[in-house]
Amino acid sequence: MLQDATGLAYTVPAIAEREGVPLRAVGPQQVTARNIPADVAEKTIGVIYPAVQVYCEKITNKLREKFRTFSGTVKMAVDVRVSRDRLEPLERDLSLYVEAVTEVLDAHRGDWGQGMFYAGGYEVSFGAAKQGGKNFIQTAKVTFDVEVSIY
């Protein structure tokens, strides 16, 4: 959903226009399903910033429903990484990209099909700016729970 036409490709330009700030677009190739630290990703696979990584952080099978193979919670994470040559716009840009991610999540509340349901809650944590990327890099993590019930 982050990669499709109603995902980040739509929300990032809309936020940039609304806020009157230039933001680089987030293409589908910048949204990946992996959990790799920023410094390792830069050295091994190359990164185009802003970068968005989606991954599963934790799986809990609570067996709430009888006769189901899995009925529990999957904790998902979305890491948003922004790199700039100066510190001043770094935090502002990161906040706007995180806003774009949360807008996509808000727009996709409800039944995701195949036994998955997203109620709409999420938590955002911001990391400190540090050396890396194009001089400076800052990361934020958006975590949310998806309820899963499968046979």
Side-chain angles (χ1 to χ4, degrees):
M1 77 181 91
L2 292 171
Q3 290 178 320
D4 70 15
T6 61
L8 295 177
Y10 173 78
T11 57
V12 169
I15 289 172
E17 184 177 329
R18 181 181 73 220
E19 298 295 323
V21 297
L23 285 177
R24 291 188 66 187
V26 179
Q29 72 280 7
Q30 292 164 268
V31 180
T32 58
R34 57 175 79 131
N35 184 6
I36 301 174
D39 55 340
V40 174
E42 286 178 0
K43 292 175 185 172
T44 58
I45 61 173
V47 180
I48 301 171
Y49 290 103
V52 178
Q53 292 185 339
V54 182
Y55 58 92
C56 178
E57 196 169 71
K58 182 179 178 182
I59 298 172
T60 306
N61 189 357
K62 297 177 183 177
L63 294 174
R64 287 184 293 224
E65 300 175 53
K66 286 186 175 186
F67 309 112
R68 298 280 181 160
T69 305
F70 185 95
S71 60
T73 305
V74 175
K75 184 178 214 74
M76 297 296 297
V78 179
D79 279 349
V80 180
R81 298 175 182 162
V82 176
S83 182
R84 296 291 296 249
D85 56 351
R86 297 186 341 265
L87 279 171
E88 295 80 29
L90 189 64
E91 191 169 342
R92 176 204 68 200
D93 288 359
L94 180 63
S95 295
L96 294 175
Y97 286 113
V98 167
E99 183 178 340
V101 169
T102 59
E103 280 188 19
V104 172
L105 288 173
D106 288 341
H108 289 86
R109 287 184 189 159
D111 189 358
W112 286 2
Q114 299 178 343
M116 295 184 287
F117 185 85
Y118 172 59
Y122 52 82
E123 182 177 307
V124 180
S125 58
F126 292 90
K130 59 183 180 179
Q131 291 284 168
K134 296 178 181 174
N135 266 355
F136 300 103
I137 187 170
Q138 189 171 11
T139 303
K141 184 193 294 189
V142 180
T143 56
F144 57 96
D145 291 337
V146 177
E147 296 299 319
V148 179
S149 178
I150 56 175
Y151 288 103

